[in-house]
Amino acid sequence: MSDKSPFIFDADVDNFNKTVIEASREVPILVDFTADWCGPCLSLGPILERVIPEYQGAIILAKVDADENMKLCGHYGLRGFPTVLLFRDSEEVERFSGAQSPSFVRDFIERNID
């Protein structure tokens, strides 16, 4: 989905445990569950891709295609898209749904990073 930044990567059901759950012990990871057909997803995606690099690796972003990873969506009880989950120390610590402003995203990140 995105090769724009070293702080943004794609995740899926096969690599989620390693690239998100285990990796979140080292750095907080936002997980954007998104879909190509979802209007709010198309609004939020570019905002996340613009904001995440500002933190220079203090937080990273995993993009998950919801349609291709319904098992993950079900596991986390997602009911709508986009939904963004934040993982720290191998646990989900917070989430938000829907298209949000850059300032909302920055506030969300800043209260969740050291």
Side-chain angles (χ1 to χ4, degrees):
M1 282 183 210
S2 176
D3 294 319
K4 294 182 171 96
S5 166
F7 309 118
I8 301 171
F9 65 95
D10 293 334
D12 59 33
V13 69
D14 295 324
N15 69 15
F16 195 84
N17 192 56
K18 181 175 177 43
T19 63
V20 175
I21 303 300
E22 291 177 20
S24 73
R25 292 183 188 134
E26 304 297 322
V27 62
I29 300 178
L30 274 184
V31 182
D32 178 22
F33 286 88
T34 187
D36 291 340
W37 49 262
C38 163
C41 298
L42 299 176
S43 298
L44 182 63
I47 290 170
L48 293 171
E49 290 177 12
R50 192 168 59 247
V51 169
I52 288 293
E54 295 172 8
Y55 293 91
Q56 294 295 304
I59 189 165
I60 58 177
L61 175 67
K63 310 267 295 174
V64 175
D65 183 315
D67 289 330
E68 294 178 11
N69 295 281
M70 289 306 293
K71 186 175 179 182
L72 282 174
C73 297
H75 178 77
Y76 289 103
L78 306 185
R79 292 189 172 83
F81 305 103
T83 297
V84 176
L85 309 184
L86 176 71
F87 287 85
R88 286 183 73 139
D89 300 318
S90 302
E91 301 285 331
E92 178 192 342
V93 294
E94 196 170 351
R95 67 171 61 189
F96 69 85
S97 296
Q100 301 292 342
S101 68
S103 61
F104 175 94
V105 171
R106 285 185 189 96
D107 290 344
F108 182 88
I109 289 170
E110 287 169 16
R111 71 174 174 263
N112 284 293
I113 62 175
D114 296 329

